[in-house]
Amino acid sequence: METLAVMREPISWLASWYRYRQRNFMQGHPNSTHNVSFDEFVNAYMRGDKPAFANVGSQAKFLEPRPNGTRINHLFRYEDQSRLLNFLQDRIKQKVSLERRNASPRTQLDLSPETLKKYQRKFSAEFDLYNSIS
């Protein structure tokens, strides 16, 4: 058996979580990012004791090999959908088409240079893994 996974660019991944938690149904929930800027969200994500709204895990941790030896055989960039689709179509010998669903609202995603630099430093494993995808 072979496994595959898709990884999103680390800042884009956090932005997706941030936008998802801004949906109307999230208002009033502890996970909501209403009334929180993207910069505040990223800074909260970098804390050791993350508030609920910034507790979204780690792509690098999720994708690391398991103690039983199970690991991802094929890793794709989210931003390279054509490569993923070509791989799937080649494997299953059928055309694959993806619809856009569950789209989060568009919003401001301003990130200060200081926050960006700190995030890149503290979460270098995320960027290293993403940059290793060929």
Side-chain angles (χ1 to χ4, degrees):
M1 177 164 45
E2 294 179 78
T3 59
L4 75 83
V6 178
M7 182 179 186
R8 198 166 189 155
E9 189 281 327
I11 295 169
S12 175
W13 176 73
L14 281 181
S16 179
W17 274 110
Y18 174 76
R19 287 191 323 269
Y20 177 77
R21 291 179 171 192
Q22 289 226 321
R23 299 179 114 188
N24 287 336
F25 74 86
M26 295 293 296
Q27 220 158 14
H29 289 262
N31 291 356
S32 172
T33 55
H34 287 88
N35 305 315
V36 176
S37 73
F38 184 54
D39 198 81
E40 291 168 328
F41 174 77
V42 174
N43 275 293
Y45 176 75
M46 291 189 282
R47 290 179 26 198
D49 185 21
K50 297 170 180 47
F53 69 83
N55 193 3
V56 295
S58 160
Q59 292 183 100
K61 185 76 175 155
F62 181 80
L63 295 170
E64 71 185 16
R66 299 296 164 222
N68 68 1
T70 302
R71 65 178 192 83
I72 302 299
N73 301 108
H74 305 279
L75 185 57
F76 297 90
R77 290 180 179 205
Y78 173 84
E79 295 78 9
D80 190 359
Q81 295 283 310
S82 63
R83 186 168 169 257
L84 171 63
L85 289 175
N86 287 336
F87 174 84
L88 290 172
Q89 289 171 160
D90 183 57
R91 289 300 174 102
I92 65 173
K93 306 295 185 215
Q94 291 184 17
K95 181 161 177 52
V96 175
S97 61
L98 302 176
E99 296 177 30
R100 184 166 171 86
R101 292 187 175 193
N102 198 21
S104 298
R106 295 283 176 209
T107 190
Q108 281 298 121
L109 296 171
D110 298 323
L111 197 58
S112 73
E114 297 81 21
T115 300
L116 173 60
K117 188 175 180 177
K118 182 178 177 184
Y119 178 57
Q120 289 171 326
R121 180 179 48 79
K122 285 189 78 163
F123 292 87
S124 60
E126 305 284 332
F127 291 93
D128 291 346
L129 180 57
Y130 180 80
N131 290 329
S132 75
I133 304 170
S134 54

